[in-house]
Amino acid sequence: MDGLNVSIAFFFLVFGVCQVLRWLSKRFLSPGTHGCLAREFAGSFQLCTSCLELRMLMEIGPWGGGFGLDVVLTLLFLLSAVHGASLDGASANPTVSLQEFLLLECSLAATVAKLLAQAVGAGTGWALTRLCWSWELTQLHFIQNLIAPECSSSVRASLPHAALVEGSCSFLFHLVLLKVGQSHPLYRVPALAATVTFLTYTAGPYTGAFFNPALATATTFHCSGSSFWDYIQVYWLGPLAGMLAALLLFQGNIPRLFQKNLLYSQKSKYKVPKAKVTAQVEGDKPQRKRKGGKSNSEPRA
């Protein structure tokens, strides 16, 4: 369990460093630079380092650390909740940034800047995590440092099946994100954390359940067993297709591409007050009778 304690301390250290980076960037950088570059860099760095350490615990922990999958899944849920609460509006996910662009919530220049910051953050997180493993602070890190150069592909299914799995994970994740995106963090954070934990548990044995292109690129693209184009199809095209399908199902259209709703009929926002119209029509009938009709009263002598 000493290795697990060191990993938990590593998580706290990464979280603290990223929080300091966010605070400094918010104080000394312009809002645009902070939102598009520093915030996304810190979020991707935090997500990538935590994911790599957690995957190490998931792969080596059951036989090298003496703890089971339940401990790792609990850590995954807690880490996902911490990420959701601390990212400060950053997505740390290219498909989420592209979704914001398609929803007209972000400009093209800002989206490109976010994608670059996410790539740099994920790459930096991978490099620093490998450096920490090389220090061999625990037996788990010693084993991971030995097997890291000979890592194998996370794609453990046929190529179409793997792309479908990643696309389905991205589809479900983005549906939940679209549904709870504007809700209170008290509800949004645990909902997204539970979704990530469930998808990782169910789809992890097939593809690793990344559904985050930047994270997958830094984590598994360098491993042998699959070609670069195979990785692109599974970890980039699959999640992108899943995001587009979720956006189309939820919105009925893609605002950046076309305004017409393809799935749902548009209802008018203005409703005619039927009760008032009926009252007015009924009230007009006797008036029309009085105007157009003759009086039944006879003249009195």
Side-chain angles (χ1 to χ4, degrees):
M1 296 297 289
D2 292 338
L4 181 61
N5 293 332
V6 172
S7 295
I8 293 175
F10 175 78
F11 294 141
F12 276 106
L13 178 62
V14 169
F15 172 73
V17 169
C18 291
Q19 283 296 97
V20 171
L21 179 60
R22 293 186 188 98
W23 180 79
L24 291 175
S25 64
K26 185 179 293 186
R27 181 167 184 177
F28 295 106
L29 298 179
S30 65
T33 305
H34 167 72
C36 295
L37 296 177
R39 190 169 61 183
E40 291 292 341
F41 172 84
S44 295
F45 175 82
Q46 177 178 315
L47 188 62
C48 184
T49 51
S50 300
C51 178
L52 287 169
E53 186 72 10
L54 192 62
R55 284 176 61 84
M56 183 270 297
L57 295 177
M58 187 177 295
E59 293 175 357
I60 304 176
W63 56 272
F67 50 88
L69 185 62
D70 55 340
V71 175
V72 179
L73 290 178
T74 301
L75 281 175
L76 174 60
F77 176 81
L78 295 176
L79 286 173
S80 300
V82 170
H83 288 317
S86 64
L87 288 182
D88 192 25
S91 63
N93 188 332
T95 58
V96 177
S97 297
L98 291 174
Q99 174 183 286
E100 295 172 351
F101 171 73
L102 294 175
L103 286 173
L104 304 177
E105 297 175 356
C106 193
S107 65
L108 177 60
T111 301
V112 172
K114 288 181 179 181
L115 296 179
L116 292 175
Q118 290 164 5
V120 174
T124 305
W126 174 81
L128 290 183
T129 305
R130 290 287 299 269
L131 178 62
C132 292
W133 287 345
S134 67
W135 296 339
E136 300 179 357
L137 300 176
T138 66
Q139 183 180 4
L140 297 178
H141 288 167
F142 172 73
I143 298 173
Q144 178 64 32
N145 192 43
L146 290 178
I147 66 177
E150 304 297 329
C151 65
S152 58
S153 172
S154 296
V155 179
R156 304 182 187 94
S158 63
L159 193 62
H161 185 198
L164 180 61
V165 168
E166 284 292 307
S168 300
C169 289
S170 178
F171 174 78
L172 293 174
F173 173 76
H174 281 274
L175 269 185
V176 175
L177 179 63
L178 288 167
K179 181 65 177 178
V180 304
Q182 301 300 324
S183 60
H184 194 275
L186 186 63
Y187 306 104
R188 182 181 70 249
V189 170
L192 291 175
T195 302
V196 170
T197 304
F198 169 75
L199 293 176
T200 302
Y201 174 73
T202 55
Y206 302 102
T207 61
F210 292 101
F211 49 93
N212 183 330
L215 184 62
T217 301
T219 303
T220 192
F221 268 43
H222 62 281
C223 295
S224 60
S226 298
S227 66
F228 180 77
W229 175 240
D230 292 342
Y231 285 132
I232 290 293
Q233 293 181 73
V234 174
Y235 295 115
W236 276 88
L237 298 183
L240 183 60
M243 180 271 291
L244 292 174
L247 182 58
L248 186 61
L249 179 63
F250 186 83
Q251 289 280 124
N253 69 333
I254 300 179
R256 178 69 66 173
L257 303 180
F258 44 82
Q259 296 295 326
K260 184 179 179 180
N261 198 307
L262 303 179
L263 300 181
Y264 311 113
S265 59
Q266 297 287 342
K267 294 183 178 180
S268 176
K269 297 181 180 179
Y270 306 99
K271 295 183 178 180
V272 179
K274 296 181 179 179
K276 293 184 178 180
V277 173
T278 304
Q280 291 176 0
V281 171
E282 292 178 352
D284 289 343
K285 287 181 180 179
Q287 294 178 3
R288 285 195 294 266
K289 286 182 179 179
R290 286 194 296 268
K291 289 181 180 179
K294 295 182 180 180
S295 176
N296 292 329
S297 61
E298 296 180 358
R300 295 181 181 179

